[in-house]
Amino acid sequence: MKPSVSSRSVRLRPLVAALAISLPLGMACVVAQEAPGTAHPEQWPAMRSPLKADPKLEARIDALLAKMSVEEKAAQVVQGDIASITPADLKTYRLGSILAGGSSDPGGQYNAPAKAWLDLADDFYAASMDTSGGKYNAIPVIFGVDAVHGHNNVVGATLFPHNIGLGATHDPALMGQIAQATAAEMRATGIDWTFAPTLAVPQDDRWGRTYEGYSENPEVVRSYAGPLIQGLQGRPGSTDFLKGAHVVATAKHFLADGGTHEGRDQGDARIDEATLRDVHDAGYPPALKAGVQAVMVSFSSWNGAKMSSNATLLEAVLKKRMGFDGFVVSDWNGHASVPGGSRENCVPSFVAGVDMIMAPDTWKGCYEHILAAENNHTLPAGRLDEAVRRILRVKLRAGMFEAGKPSTRGVAGKFELLGSPAHRAIARRAVRESLVLMKNNGGVLPLDPRKKLLIAGDAADDMMLQSGGWTLSWQGTGLKPEDFPNAQTIGAALREQVGKAGGSAELSAEGKYTSKPDAAVVIFGETPYAEFQGDLKVLAYRPGDDRDLKLLKKLKAEGIPVVAVFLSGRPLWMNREINAADAFVAAWLPGSEGGGVADVLLRDAAGKVQHDFRGTLSYSWPRTVMQSPLNVGQAGYDPQFAYGYGLTYAKPQTVAALSEDAGMDLSTLGSQTFFSRGAPATGWTVRVQPKGGQPRMVSQPSGQKYATDVAIVPVDNKAQEDSWRFSWKRDADVAFIAPRPQDLVRETNGDVLLLMTMRVDTAPKGKGAELFVECGEGCSARFPLDAALASAPRGTWGRVGVPLKCLASLGAQMGNISAPFGLRMPAGTEVSLSEVAFGTDAQHVLPCPVK
């Protein structure tokens, strides 16, 4: 039954009131003064969907909508995460979609096998189609994942270079091949929707998601969008569009996620509408022309207005002006940060134009709020039906109602597609084309594989560092070599090719060798990160930690030609490292195919060049750590290496010594890792204070062996004397003191942990073992450790985490942490520490004590 005109007017009143509230105080009736972040549709490109109207399909939607209950409709617009919803839940709450977030996996097992993914997809599908109770219609659930550089959630999948590396290839056709291979591997495991591609145009490389963007240049993003979408989805109008070995794609994050002030993730893009349209919207028109079926809304804001509640952009521009007829999905709990919204209340975002609310762990509350709003007539008339129509339209276009369970569709169950030779060959080519040669003085490269090489550096034989974030887990950390069965590290690839050519290669992360090599390849770079956890204040590489520079200088001083291979998710100020090396290669985050790096660095067995460098910078390289934002075309543009820079073997060039003035005192910067490799980070000190005694400051373990309070001696973990053993002779505190107070509010809100790589050698015999933090005069938080230490295995290294949120709940003022880590132990306790840092990759997280 259609509502009367009067009832429709009543239902529109909340929306009108909401719009009035969004205007400045006292201006609710003055249309001339617009609310911040108001878009003007007439200034945006007018477009129509490339898919012709299908009356039969729309009639099917009409018929299904007529049969659906309000409860079913409310559920269709909500998406829950597999860590928080089960197939049994789905039988009761018929959500339209599920997702596996960055660290969500079948059975909670990060390395779950491919079959477990397929089985889980079948189980959720079966629950969504169950009509045995006679209460629900059979509407297939759609399953989404972040397949952002290959099907990166699944062990054995091909890992392509992250987008920053792909941008350096300047090869749109290659993007289509990568997307098609990724889709096939997804379908093999039963997944039918990817939250990719990212069409951000990063303008400030301090942003932790810079590596998810192809380039600072909107033209590169514009040229890539169409091939990526069609590679994933197929060509609109073709018989296999969204079917077979294709999946539903998502253009994200709408809009200007790469344009936030100071590169702050989830921040505010303080730009005019022309810049919003011409720079940050560059990839969306070609994505829409290619038939993309989902658009994900950004966490961020535009001039103070949250994207997830900006109806002028979502409804007026995207859906009406640009003709988008798929569905809009929010990002992870993005509805919680909009005015009037909360983790449970997603109604404001839904009213503004978000059709599917990603409420991973709050799906039940979101569903209940949508249902109540519809039943209470506080949703705009027709809004719920319109959102459900868009979701059903995509599901029908993808043939999901007829396709049967995921394991029976297309290439499902063909697990041999994961890391197949054909897909790895595409990835290897992408790696070769993404490498940028920054320096090659004296023609050191390409190296002769018939000679003796040293392969050194932390990343020489480490797939985790080579692959970066969004690899088997959200942050890409805590992984082991066996998690990469269809992959090859750069070090392994170099050794393989050198061995086949008749030369020899010695692998040593520390740079040690048995006999002097003819050349050394040092592979090093950023530790993995994702999203805001990768945000930087300045473009400095590992401030307070110069281990890589020391290694380069050491080898150079020994008369060895040095090739530096730098792995990173963005350009960083590296002038000292570039100066210390004869050759310097920006390899970005290449993924599973280390052989692609070896192909370019090494000659063949006959001494000929195998592959020349083809990559050129798709991001400008900074002259100082302070030079951000830095983008081609801006006023005063003066980079160290300009956009488009890249040397080749065919055209050799000498790079003069670079200035080593960073633009600021790097010792004033903090470090995420403040104890590692047997030493505190630069500027950090260790304070030992016995109960009732005077404190003393410690910077190294030597000379403390016979201390009367806490003896500190060097011990080995992964390398010689890379750890300290603390032996308590009497009750005492050991605290790591920061060079200046640390502001950890953002990290605390983001579920970051205080991490300790530690070994319990002798457990406390008495009570009173505590971990503590200090936050200024009279401010501290204490976390009891008696139970944890008593149950810890003796003599075994482990990575233990304590949530910063827990320390905050115990009284720590997280904006002013002077000592972020301390241990109070009774006499007789012995504990060894190898690393102390902030991060997410704990093997075991200690639960917060109950107050």
Side-chain angles (χ1 to χ4, degrees):
M1 177 178 174
K2 293 184 179 180
S4 65
V5 173
S6 59
S7 66
R8 287 173 60 86
S9 299
V10 170
R11 297 181 71 182
L12 284 170
R13 286 172 191 161
L15 177 60
V16 174
L19 291 173
I21 290 170
S22 70
L23 293 172
L25 186 63
M27 299 300 296
C29 296
V30 182
V31 179
Q33 293 198 17
E34 297 175 321
T38 298
H40 301 84
E42 69 278 5
Q43 298 179 17
W44 293 71
M47 299 175 58
R48 289 171 26 177
S49 171
L51 290 111
K52 295 180 181 179
D54 186 342
K56 291 183 179 179
L57 183 147
E58 298 300 324
R60 288 186 66 182
I61 297 174
D62 289 338
L64 187 51
L65 283 171
K67 294 190 298 181
M68 292 174 69
S69 65
V70 176
E71 288 79 7
E72 285 180 290
K73 291 176 181 179
Q76 273 298 301
V77 303
V78 179
Q79 181 184 55
D81 185 77
I82 63 170
S84 302
I85 189 170
T86 66
D89 292 328
L90 201 68
K91 287 186 177 182
T92 302
Y93 298 91
R94 305 301 276 258
L95 303 193
S97 177
I98 56 168
L99 81 149
S103 294
S104 299
D105 305 275
Q109 183 182 354
Y110 81 93
N111 56 357
K115 189 176 186 305
W117 285 92
L118 185 57
D119 289 345
L120 186 65
D122 274 354
D123 290 345
F124 274 110
Y125 171 82
S128 71
M129 301 296 282
D130 185 356
T131 59
S132 58
K135 185 178 179 182
Y136 297 114
N137 292 283
I139 303 176
V141 67
I142 187 169
F143 194 163
V145 299
D146 288 276
V148 295
H149 65 127
H151 193 18
N152 43 264
N153 296 277
V154 178
V155 170
T158 308
L159 297 175
F160 295 93
H162 269 293
N163 292 352
I164 190 170
L166 297 181
T169 71
H170 300 276
D171 190 341
L174 178 59
M175 299 308 106
Q177 295 177 36
I178 290 170
Q180 192 168 357
T182 299
E185 295 197 17
M186 289 179 63
R187 282 293 195 182
T189 61
I191 310 299
D192 35 37
W193 178 18
T194 176
F195 306 135
T198 297
L199 299 179
V201 186
Q203 299 293 284
D204 192 319
D205 299 345
R206 291 173 291 184
W207 187 35
R209 302 187 82 150
T210 295
Y211 66 79
E212 295 187 49
Y214 297 99
S215 177
E216 70 188 38
N217 185 346
E219 293 305 316
V220 173
V221 180
R222 195 189 319 275
S223 70
Y224 278 16
L228 286 162
I229 298 301
Q230 291 203 3
L232 289 165
Q233 294 192 160
R235 183 174 50 83
S238 63
T239 56
D240 62 350
F241 179 61
L242 304 176
K243 304 177 184 70
H246 291 116
V247 297
V248 174
T250 309
K252 71 179 189 183
H253 304 86
F254 192 83
L255 192 58
D257 50 337
T260 58
H261 180 61
E262 296 182 343
R264 302 274 291 182
D265 192 49
Q266 305 181 25
D268 186 29
R270 303 172 186 176
I271 55 178
D272 59 34
E273 189 168 0
T275 303
L276 183 72
R277 179 195 64 220
D278 298 341
V279 174
H280 299 284
D281 188 54
Y284 289 89
L288 296 179
K289 288 179 181 177
V292 70
Q293 293 297 287
V295 171
M296 182 179 288
V297 187
S298 177
F299 279 117
S300 59
S301 306
W302 173 43
N303 291 332
K306 281 289 183 182
M307 291 292 176
S308 293
S309 60
N310 195 322
T312 67
L313 281 168
L314 300 181
E315 289 287 352
V317 170
L318 178 62
K319 293 180 181 179
K320 293 183 173 63
R321 180 70 174 176
M322 298 175 71
F324 176 59
D325 65 356
F327 64 82
V328 174
V329 61
S330 59
D331 207 340
W332 187 279
N333 278 332
H335 59 275
S337 62
V338 306
S342 67
R343 286 174 61 85
E344 301 288 332
N345 182 10
C346 56
V347 172
S349 284
F350 184 69
V351 168
V354 178
D355 303 306
M356 181 179 287
I357 304 290
M358 185 186 291
D361 52 356
T362 57
W363 55 267
K364 190 178 293 184
C366 176
Y367 159 78
E368 290 171 346
H369 274 79
I370 294 283
L371 180 61
E374 177 68 7
N375 284 333
N376 295 335
H377 306 299
T378 54
L379 283 183
R383 172 64 189 123
L384 183 58
D385 276 10
E386 190 254 347
V388 176
R389 175 178 294 276
R390 287 174 172 273
I391 294 166
L392 294 179
R393 182 183 292 137
V394 173
K395 291 181 177 182
L396 285 166
R397 284 173 172 170
M400 295 182 66
F401 283 80
E402 297 78 33
K405 61 182 181 179
S407 60
T408 65
R409 303 175 192 168
V411 296
K414 295 184 177 180
F415 301 135
E416 64 272 17
L417 288 172
L418 296 169
S420 71
H423 293 170
R424 292 189 63 186
I426 296 170
R428 187 163 177 164
R429 175 190 158 197
V431 173
R432 288 197 297 264
E433 293 188 18
S434 70
L435 304 177
V436 179
L437 181 61
M438 311 286 287
K439 177 182 178 180
N440 191 25
N441 288 5
V444 172
L445 290 173
L447 297 168
D448 189 340
R450 297 166 294 186
K451 295 186 176 181
K452 179 178 176 58
L453 297 183
L454 170 67
I455 306 167
D458 285 347
D461 198 37
D462 193 321
M463 275 304 307
M464 188 172 70
L465 296 181
Q466 191 171 309
S467 301
W470 292 108
T471 303
L472 298 184
S473 69
W474 177 34
Q475 297 292 317
T477 53
L479 309 176
K480 304 183 291 294
E482 54 267 33
D483 296 328
F484 301 93
N486 298 327
Q488 186 178 43
T489 64
I490 299 170
L494 289 168
R495 294 182 77 182
E496 179 185 63
Q497 292 195 26
V498 167
K500 289 181 177 178
S504 63
E506 191 168 1
L507 180 62
S508 168
E510 296 82 20
K512 297 179 180 179
Y513 50 83
T514 53
S515 60
K516 187 176 179 180
D518 295 301
V521 180
V522 181
I523 309 163
F524 62 100
E526 292 186 289
T527 52
Y529 55 84
E531 301 189 35
F532 70 89
Q533 294 189 25
D535 283 2
L536 295 176
K537 295 179 180 178
V538 296
L539 296 177
Y541 169 63
R542 282 186 176 172
D545 182 352
D546 58 358
R547 72 183 86 167
D548 302 310
L549 179 61
K550 288 179 178 177
L551 177 56
L552 293 169
K553 287 184 172 181
K554 167 185 172 293
L555 295 171
K556 187 67 177 170
E558 292 166 356
I560 301 169
V562 177
V563 176
V565 177
F566 182 50
L567 306 181
S568 76
R570 55 196 149 201
L572 293 170
W573 185 75
M574 301 292 296
N575 286 12
R576 297 176 300 178
E577 287 82 359
I578 294 173
N579 285 342
D582 296 285
F584 191 93
V585 177
W588 315 112
L589 298 169
S592 60
E593 305 314 307
V597 178
D599 290 345
V600 182
L601 264 57
L602 298 176
R603 297 179 182 272
D604 64 17
K608 297 180 180 180
V609 173
Q610 296 187 85
H611 296 274
D612 202 345
F613 283 87
R614 291 189 53 185
T616 60
L617 294 179
S618 61
Y619 288 82
S620 304
W621 202 279
R623 189 176 294 277
T624 72
V625 299
M626 305 294 290
Q627 205 173 17
S628 189
L630 176 65
N631 301 291
V632 62
Q634 74 182 42
Y637 182 67
D638 183 32
Q640 185 67 70
F641 298 101
Y643 172 89
Y645 175 88
L647 305 178
T648 66
Y649 295 145
K651 296 180 179 179
Q653 178 182 324
T654 298
V655 175
L658 308 177
S659 168
E660 297 194 2
D661 180 2
M664 67 170 293
D665 182 0
L666 296 180
S667 68
T668 63
L669 298 174
S671 175
Q672 287 290 98
T673 300
F674 47 93
F675 177 76
S676 68
R677 289 181 166 266
T682 302
W684 290 71
T685 55
V686 177
R687 185 192 70 211
V688 177
Q689 184 165 11
K691 187 176 182 179
Q694 294 298 311
R696 61 185 177 89
M697 307 309 288
V698 177
S699 60
Q700 55 186 4
S702 57
Q704 307 303 328
K705 190 172 183 179
Y706 303 104
T708 59
D709 42 27
V710 181
I712 306 174
V713 297
V715 292
D716 301 345
N717 178 15
K718 295 182 178 180
Q720 184 177 358
E721 297 188 358
D722 66 345
S723 309
W724 289 5
R725 178 188 294 152
F726 298 82
S727 300
W728 275 261
K729 305 296 184 182
R730 54 189 289 196
D731 294 4
D733 291 352
V734 174
F736 285 69
I737 310 300
R740 67 203 52 79
Q742 305 282 295
D743 183 352
L744 302 177
V745 171
R746 204 147 171 274
E747 288 83 353
T748 303
N749 293 338
D751 296 323
V752 173
L753 308 171
L754 173 63
L755 297 172
M756 303 154 280
T757 300
M758 63 186 298
R759 182 182 70 191
V760 179
D761 300 307
T762 304
K765 293 182 173 59
K767 299 290 184 181
E770 294 177 327
L771 179 149
F772 64 88
V773 298
E774 296 176 352
C775 39
E777 187 69 28
C779 177
S780 66
R782 298 191 172 273
F783 186 103
L785 289 178
D786 289 328
L789 295 178
S791 61
R794 304 294 175 262
T796 301
W797 290 101
R799 196 161 175 84
V800 179
V802 172
L804 294 184
K805 282 183 177 178
C806 180
L807 298 174
S809 71
L810 293 172
Q813 299 298 316
M814 303 309 291
N816 187 48
I817 300 296
S818 53
F821 172 69
L823 293 175
R824 168 172 290 181
M825 297 290 178
T829 307
E830 288 188 320
V831 173
S832 296
L833 292 175
S834 183
E835 184 176 85
V836 187
F838 303 121
T840 59
D841 57 324
Q843 294 170 316
H844 180 60
V845 178
L846 301 182
C848 288
V850 178
K851 290 185 178 181

